[in-house]
């Protein structure tokens, strides 16, 4: 019964990952198309495309880890596979936090009034966005480097004190000083970036509320009910950030508890994987549904499908 539940959980995670990869691929292709054809793309176009790419890699990683056939088909030694896959997983998780934070900061800058000090960054953000992305990649790679040294293959180790991460891979016990330093640095990084997201969200909520109160005095009710593109984009980012903070909090609590207790229950591990991947799966749908350009293109493609089928 337990093995059946575990297999069912793996199938659910693989199905979830497949849906997420499809949605993120659509978002990424449209963002690449926009960046190639538009000479003055928005900073958020590059950032959301970057987020979609991160989530595609993250979800592909899940499928490989959860599928024994795919894992064994990789023509590498098992310990190299484990180190690579868990290193990539940690890097992508960090990049997801950084990029979501960057997205909330960029949107806060975009909607800030000209009198605000944030308005001075509106034009600068376009020029420095690429440099910022390189910086967050460097930061995420350096924060995740310790995984390479402590991830091992379960079948090759007789140590009973291993922390089981998957069917094939485990985490070797670290020295207490290294565990403490890694734990403190990770908490500091994550709390800092989540804190920035929350502050930006609060700032955007205040601006939206202020704008809505002003609109009631300037326009009729019918006009004020129509959200502007900036307002729609801001509401989308607020929804994403709120959803991310909730999902991340659950993941953070489970991870900290498991590391401190040095025990990972397979069911708890499945729940954690599901919660982490929910954000990667849902976020592209939220971003696609709020972008009229993508919706219009998808509707046009859908209308052309019957014409293509009749020609065949």
């Amino acid at each position: 019964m337990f093995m059946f539940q575990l297999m069912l959980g793996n199938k659910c995670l693989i199905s979830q990952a497949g849906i997420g990869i499809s949605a993120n691929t659509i978002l990424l292709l449209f963002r690449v198309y926009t960046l190639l054809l538009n000479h003055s793309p928005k900073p958020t176009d590059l950032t959301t495309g970057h987020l979609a790419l991160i989530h595609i890699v993250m979800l592909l990683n899940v499928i490989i880890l959860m599928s024994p056939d795919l894992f064994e088909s990789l023509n590498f030694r098992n310990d190299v596979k484990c180190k690579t896959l868990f290193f990539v997983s940690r890097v992508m998780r960090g990049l997801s936090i950084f990029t979501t934070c960057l997205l909330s900061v960029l949107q806060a800058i975009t909607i800030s009034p000209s009198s605000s000090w944030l308005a001075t960054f509106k034009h600068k953000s376009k020029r420095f966005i690429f440099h910022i992305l390189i910086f967050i990649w460097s930061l995420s790679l350096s924060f995740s480097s310790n995984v390479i040294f402590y991830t091992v293959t379960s079948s090759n180790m007789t140590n009973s004190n291993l922390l089981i991460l998957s069917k094939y891979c485990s985490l070797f016990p670290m020295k207490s000083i290294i565990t403490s330093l890694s734990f403190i640095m990770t908490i500091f990084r994550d709390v800092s970036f989540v804190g920035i997201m929350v502050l930006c969200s609060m700032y955007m909520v205040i601006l939206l509320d202020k704008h809505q109160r002003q609109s009631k005095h300037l326009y009729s009710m019918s006009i004020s009910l129509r959200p502007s593109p900036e307002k729609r984009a801001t509401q989308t980012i607020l929804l994403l950030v709120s959803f991310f903070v909730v999902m991340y909090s659950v993941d953070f609590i489970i991870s900290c508890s498991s590391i401190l207790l040095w025990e990972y229950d397979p069911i708890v591990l499945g729940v954690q994987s599901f919660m982490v991947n929910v954000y990667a799966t849902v976020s592209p749908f939220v971003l696609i549904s709020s972008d009229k350009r993508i919706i219009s293109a998808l509707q046009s493609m859908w209308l052309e499908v019957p014409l293509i089928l009749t020609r065949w």
Side-chain angles (χ1 to χ4, degrees):
M1 184 65 180
F2 174 75
M3 289 302 297
F4 174 75
Q5 289 176 340
L6 199 58
M7 289 174 62
L8 187 63
N10 287 350
K11 286 183 179 180
C12 288
L13 286 171
I14 292 171
S15 301
Q16 179 196 34
I19 294 168
I21 289 169
S22 302
N24 278 293
T25 302
I26 292 171
L27 178 62
L28 178 61
L29 290 174
F30 273 102
R31 285 294 177 258
V32 171
Y33 178 78
T34 303
L35 291 168
L36 290 175
L37 295 185
N38 195 340
H39 297 294
S40 57
K42 300 175 183 177
T44 51
D45 287 339
L46 180 58
T47 311
T48 52
H50 182 250
L51 187 65
L53 178 62
I54 290 165
H55 289 160
I56 289 170
V57 176
M58 183 187 294
L59 294 169
L60 279 172
N61 208 56
V62 170
I63 290 177
I64 294 171
L65 281 169
M66 294 297 172
S67 175
D69 294 334
L70 281 175
F71 185 89
E72 292 173 0
S73 67
L74 295 175
N75 194 21
F76 300 103
R77 286 167 43 196
N78 279 357
D79 60 336
V80 176
K81 294 179 198 176
C82 287
K83 290 178 186 296
T84 303
L85 290 171
F86 276 94
F87 176 68
V88 170
S89 178
R90 285 287 296 273
V91 170
M92 293 303 115
R93 180 182 177 276
L95 286 171
S96 182
I97 296 172
F98 296 148
T99 309
T100 305
C101 179
L102 178 60
L103 200 56
S104 64
V105 171
L106 288 173
Q107 191 58 35
I109 291 171
T110 301
I111 67 167
S112 60
S114 55
S115 58
S116 170
W117 65 274
L118 282 174
T120 57
F121 296 100
K122 283 187 180 181
H123 300 293
K124 293 180 181 179
S125 61
K126 292 182 181 180
R127 288 182 293 171
F128 293 112
I129 186 69
F130 187 70
H131 299 87
I132 294 169
L133 291 178
I134 292 175
F135 172 73
I136 64 177
W137 267 89
S138 303
L139 202 62
S140 188
L141 287 168
S142 62
F143 263 97
S144 307
S145 58
N146 64 318
V147 176
I148 297 173
F149 302 103
Y150 293 98
T151 305
V152 294
T153 307
S154 303
S155 57
N156 293 344
M157 303 297 294
T158 56
N159 192 330
S160 60
N161 201 26
L162 293 175
L163 183 63
I164 305 298
L165 299 174
S166 72
K167 181 180 177 182
Y168 298 98
C169 307
S170 300
L171 197 64
F172 196 76
M174 305 179 194
K175 293 180 180 179
S176 57
I177 183 69
I178 296 174
T179 304
S180 301
L181 283 173
S182 177
F183 189 70
I184 291 168
M185 288 174 67
T186 302
I187 288 179
F188 178 76
R189 178 199 68 178
D190 294 355
V191 170
S192 298
F193 281 94
V194 171
I196 293 170
M197 288 184 217
V198 173
L199 288 174
C200 288
S201 299
M202 290 171 62
Y203 176 72
M204 287 187 281
V205 168
I206 292 168
L207 284 182
L208 285 178
D209 182 64
K210 184 178 178 181
H211 180 265
Q212 190 169 4
R213 282 189 278 108
Q214 289 175 343
S215 298
K216 289 181 180 180
H217 297 289
L218 296 174
Y219 305 106
S220 65
M221 185 61 67
S222 59
I223 297 176
S224 65
L225 287 174
R226 292 181 204 163
S228 63
E230 291 80 8
K231 186 175 180 179
R232 284 199 305 271
T234 305
Q235 289 171 340
T236 301
I237 303 303
L238 287 171
L239 179 61
L240 275 183
V241 170
S242 302
F243 191 65
F244 176 85
V245 170
V246 173
M247 295 299 104
Y248 170 77
S249 298
V250 175
D251 171 44
F252 182 77
I253 292 167
I254 294 175
S255 295
C256 289
S257 302
S258 301
I259 294 294
L260 291 173
L261 298 173
W262 202 252
E263 183 179 358
Y264 246 135
D265 183 90
I267 302 299
V268 173
L269 183 61
V271 171
Q272 182 188 14
S273 300
F274 180 80
M275 297 302 286
V276 172
N277 297 329
V278 163
Y279 176 70
T281 304
V282 172
S283 61
F285 288 103
V286 175
L287 290 166
I288 289 170
S289 63
S290 65
D291 194 323
K292 285 188 174 182
R293 296 170 296 177
I294 299 178
I295 295 297
S296 299
L298 289 174
Q299 287 175 342
S300 300
M301 290 170 63
W302 181 255
L303 291 172
E304 289 177 6
V305 168
L307 297 175
I308 296 171
L309 292 175
T310 52
R311 289 174 187 172
W312 287 359

